[in-house]
């Protein structure tokens, strides 16, 4: 019996990511990122209670460019995860299942997440 060469399905070279699949993947990625970002908050709590030198080290990092960048992306991930979670709650109620509704709500999630992240970082600094 001859073995037939069959294509992989769906092949990554021909698969076009959809907006709903991208938002689903980003929701998982931001969840993992928030778990790692919680380490910074824990570092803050430990530094706050440990000593003045330990807090000065934390403060030096968090006010540096790299620290501000980390905080911005942490806030962006938190805002995205929260707003997309609300979107999922709306789906759980049975609304927004049509493709055009799902795509519109995905764009709204991106816009609100960016606005919340930028405004929260601007207020903090």
């Amino acid at each position: 019996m001859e073995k037939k060469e069959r294509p992989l399905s769906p092949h990554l070279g021909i698969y076009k990511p959809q907006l709903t699949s991208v938002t689903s993947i980003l929701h998982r990625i931001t969840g993992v990122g928030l778990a790692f970002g919680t380490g910074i908050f824990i570092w803050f709590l430990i530094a706050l209670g440990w000593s003045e030198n330990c807090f000065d080290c934390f403060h030096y990092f968090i006010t540096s460019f790299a620290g501000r960048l980390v905080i911005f992306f942490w806030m962006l991930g938190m805002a995205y995860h929260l707003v997309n979670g609300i979107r999922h709650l709306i789906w759980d109620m049975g609304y927004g299942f049509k493709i055009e509704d799902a795509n519109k709500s995905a764009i709204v999630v991106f816009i609100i997440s960016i606005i919340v992240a930028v405004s929260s970082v601007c207020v903090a600094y």
Side-chain angles (χ1 to χ4, degrees):
M1 185 181 278
E2 250 180 73
K3 188 174 184 181
K4 294 183 180 181
E5 293 289 326
R6 295 186 177 180
L8 299 175
S9 177
H11 194 271
L12 293 177
I14 61 172
Y15 179 73
K16 181 182 173 202
Q18 300 163 345
L19 198 52
T20 52
S21 64
V22 170
T23 57
S24 177
I25 292 167
L26 280 177
H27 191 77
R28 289 173 172 90
I29 290 171
T30 56
V32 171
L34 291 177
F36 284 115
T38 304
I40 294 171
F41 183 66
I42 292 170
W43 180 22
F44 166 72
L45 292 176
I46 291 171
L48 195 60
W50 199 269
S51 70
E52 190 173 343
N53 283 341
C54 190
F55 184 77
D56 287 342
C57 178
F58 172 80
H59 188 264
Y60 177 77
F61 168 73
I62 214 67
T63 56
S64 70
F65 178 74
R68 290 179 184 204
L69 199 61
V70 166
I71 292 298
F72 172 74
F73 281 112
W74 190 36
M75 288 304 301
L76 182 63
M78 189 176 300
Y80 176 80
H81 201 76
L82 173 68
V83 176
N84 199 45
I86 293 170
R87 178 178 173 230
H88 276 269
L89 288 175
I90 293 170
W91 283 354
D92 289 343
M93 291 186 284
Y95 302 109
F97 281 121
K98 293 180 184 174
I99 293 294
E100 51 276 351
D101 293 339
N103 288 338
K104 287 178 188 175
S105 65
I107 292 169
V108 169
V109 165
F110 287 132
I111 291 170
I112 291 174
S113 300
I114 291 170
I115 290 170
V116 168
V118 169
S119 63
S120 65
V121 170
C122 288
V123 167
Y125 294 108

